[in-house]
Amino acid sequence: MNRRDFLQQSALTTAGTLLIPHFLKAYETQAMGQLPGSTGKILVIVQLSGGNDGLNTVIPFRNDIYYRERPTIAIRPEKVLPLNDEIGLHPAMGSLKALYDEGLVTVINNVGYPNPDRSHFRSMDIWQTASDSDQYLRTGWVGRYLDAACAGKSQQPFRTIEVDDTLSLALKGNNLNGMAVLDPKKLYNQTRSGLVTKLGKEHHDEHESVSYLYKTLAETVSSAEYVYDKAKIQTSSTTYPNHELGNRLKTVSQFIQSGVETSVYYISISGFDTHINQPGQQERLLGQYAEAVGAFMTDLKAAGRQNDVLLMTFSEFGRRVKQNASNGTDHGTANNVFLIGGGMSSRRVLNEAPNLTALTDGDLTYSVDFRQIYATLLHDYLGTDDVAILGRKFESLKIV
């Protein structure tokens, strides 16, 4: 690990409740003489970790191949919530279907990338960094967006927030990292100790790398205070489901309604790796997802912010078309992406349903590169330079 990497990992912006001890340890090491190696729009990203089964989420209920390849786990046609004549939603997703009927949901099918990787960790890195499958990047696409947003301005980590205790690669930039904030009060209290406050105000004339560490600490102390003070302004009166995603989306809504100047929020929920006994597990998770998103959009509508906030949902890959011998599915490739809210004009399924007669090694063949979605959101929605952030031009989609 080089010195800059150590400093970024030690800095207070890279992890929630564990940050203060990490920084103090780094400070002690340095003290002993050892230098350690806008558009006004808001994007909310929900990551379904584990590889959600897209074929049982957006179901091709008129396709005989789907039922032939999934004799015990396929969703029967009479239970599907139809979106059009070909595909429909899982029956547990009634709240999402209601949003679709209101014109708030766009479904994008067959999303993936060339030469897909079926490893959870590698594929998630590819999605979070927006890299090619043979390219290894150390910064995330949201982190690079933050770099661009703060270029030549005051450094404001709170411009991108992950509602968690630790920060994903997606929010790590070259010059600045986003904030991991699960409990604003707890983070604020951690930054109030006398030593932390003193360190944040002193030592700015030290060695460049050490100065960077102190500067990062000072920025985070300031950001923690800003987020905590702002978050006290508005509380939500909407009833959210009492589970992880419901609580985290409620936090995002309160930040938005309180006027926290964050452009991108990031949330991750796990459990979607359904190799064994998939039906019950996926039904529970999709139901929780749909009800939480439904409450979130209801809350934003009541606050008059529904058209200002776009929620994107993705998973690192889909599942194989053919079910396995354990009443589940194994790692696949292409998947679907949901875009919800954001002032889109009408409900729609953007592109063709998965083609089950033209598989690649038993998997769905992608037709939309996920970076086309990123490019469209960056340029058309957030109003920034997508090429500078993604490294090259990707054809935009007509979704915003």
Side-chain angles (χ1 to χ4, degrees):
M1 180 184 297
N2 63 34
R3 183 162 50 198
R4 178 59 173 257
D5 291 337
F6 179 87
L7 292 170
Q8 287 198 338
Q9 290 186 22
S10 299
L12 205 60
T13 52
T14 61
T17 59
L18 301 179
L19 294 175
I20 298 299
H22 286 178
F23 179 83
L24 294 178
K25 184 176 181 180
Y27 173 74
E28 291 166 359
T29 302
Q30 187 273 330
M32 292 185 293
Q34 300 174 15
L35 188 63
S38 210
T39 60
K41 298 292 188 179
I42 296 168
L43 176 63
V44 180
I45 302 168
V46 176
Q47 171 185 303
L48 307 181
S49 300
N52 179 48
D53 181 16
L55 277 179
N56 271 22
T57 302
V58 180
I59 301 149
F61 64 92
R62 293 191 183 277
N63 194 310
D64 293 338
I65 299 174
Y66 166 73
Y67 291 100
R68 184 189 72 203
E69 296 297 312
R70 297 181 167 211
T72 65
I73 69 168
I75 309 298
R76 304 312 306 169
E78 63 273 13
K79 295 184 177 181
V80 173
L81 306 176
L83 301 179
N84 57 29
D85 291 338
E86 294 184 77
I87 60 176
L89 294 174
H90 189 286
M93 305 181 79
S95 296
L96 194 68
K97 176 59 163 60
L99 294 175
Y100 182 85
D101 291 341
E102 291 181 37
L104 297 175
V105 178
T106 292
V107 179
I108 309 176
N109 294 307
N110 309 313
V111 181
Y113 54 89
N115 304 310
D117 196 303
R118 293 178 180 82
S119 160
H120 290 293
F121 305 104
R122 179 61 191 140
S123 192
M124 188 61 76
D125 278 358
I126 290 168
W127 274 82
Q128 291 194 2
T129 64
S131 71
D132 293 332
S133 60
D134 61 352
Q135 181 185 24
Y136 293 81
L137 300 180
R138 304 174 77 169
T139 60
W141 73 284
V142 179
R144 298 194 297 273
Y145 163 78
L146 179 62
D147 284 339
C150 292
K153 305 175 184 177
S154 61
Q155 303 296 284
Q156 299 174 327
F158 61 79
R159 293 288 180 178
T160 63
I161 288 178
E162 181 161 7
V163 185
D164 206 328
D165 281 331
T166 57
L167 198 71
S168 298
L169 176 58
L171 282 79
K172 296 182 179 181
N174 282 302
N175 303 313
L176 190 63
N177 293 337
M179 290 188 72
V181 183
L182 186 59
D183 182 337
K185 183 177 181 180
K186 188 173 184 179
L187 180 59
Y188 171 78
N189 287 338
Q190 288 179 327
T191 64
R192 294 302 94 190
S193 78
L195 178 57
V196 171
T197 303
K198 181 181 179 181
L199 291 175
K201 294 179 179 178
E202 299 180 355
H203 302 285
H204 297 297
D205 58 348
E206 300 278 358
H207 185 282
E208 179 183 356
S209 294
V210 178
S211 177
Y212 169 83
L213 182 56
Y214 291 121
K215 180 173 178 289
T216 301
L217 177 63
E219 291 163 356
T220 304
V221 169
S222 174
S223 292
E225 181 177 13
Y226 168 81
V227 172
Y228 174 62
D229 287 343
K230 278 284 191 179
K232 294 185 292 185
I233 295 174
Q234 183 72 38
T235 59
S236 173
S237 59
T238 299
T239 300
Y240 280 78
N242 187 24
H243 50 61
E244 182 180 20
L245 182 58
N247 292 331
R248 294 187 180 194
L249 282 175
K250 182 177 182 179
T251 296
V252 171
S253 179
Q254 290 181 175
F255 283 176
I256 291 170
Q257 294 185 53
S258 295
V260 176
E261 295 182 4
T262 299
S263 298
V264 181
Y265 292 94
Y266 203 95
I267 299 173
S268 177
I269 57 171
S270 61
F272 290 88
D273 193 16
T274 50
H275 291 282
I276 301 172
N277 296 327
Q278 173 177 303
Q281 180 176 346
Q282 192 188 34
E283 179 180 10
R284 175 179 58 82
L285 291 170
L286 292 180
Q288 290 179 353
Y289 165 79
E291 65 180 356
V293 170
F296 181 65
M297 297 308 297
T298 297
D299 200 1
L300 293 178
K301 184 176 182 180
R305 301 300 304 274
Q306 188 172 261
N307 290 337
D308 301 328
V309 182
L310 178 62
L311 187 149
M312 180 186 78
T313 302
F314 81 96
S315 195
E316 70 265 33
F317 47 60
R319 317 295 289 191
R320 294 181 70 80
V321 174
K322 186 178 181 64
Q323 73 174 76
N324 62 28
S326 301
N327 213 38
T329 51
D330 297 323
H331 300 177
T333 54
N335 209 342
N336 36 62
V337 167
F338 294 136
L339 299 175
I340 304 165
M344 291 182 292
S345 60
S346 63
R347 66 180 184 272
R348 56 181 165 172
V349 176
L350 187 70
N351 57 342
E352 73 282 357
N355 185 346
L356 303 188
T357 65
L359 304 180
T360 302
D361 297 327
D363 285 317
L364 300 179
T365 302
Y366 90 97
S367 60
V368 176
D369 192 309
F370 73 94
R371 291 164 294 187
Q372 293 179 257
I373 301 174
Y374 290 179
T376 305
L377 295 178
L378 288 166
H379 184 272
D380 297 344
Y381 190 70
L382 294 175
T384 192
D385 186 344
D386 56 301
V387 176
I389 292 168
L390 299 178
R392 66 178 189 268
K393 183 67 176 176
F394 290 92
E395 182 181 358
S396 63
L397 304 173
K398 304 301 181 183
I399 54 179
V400 178

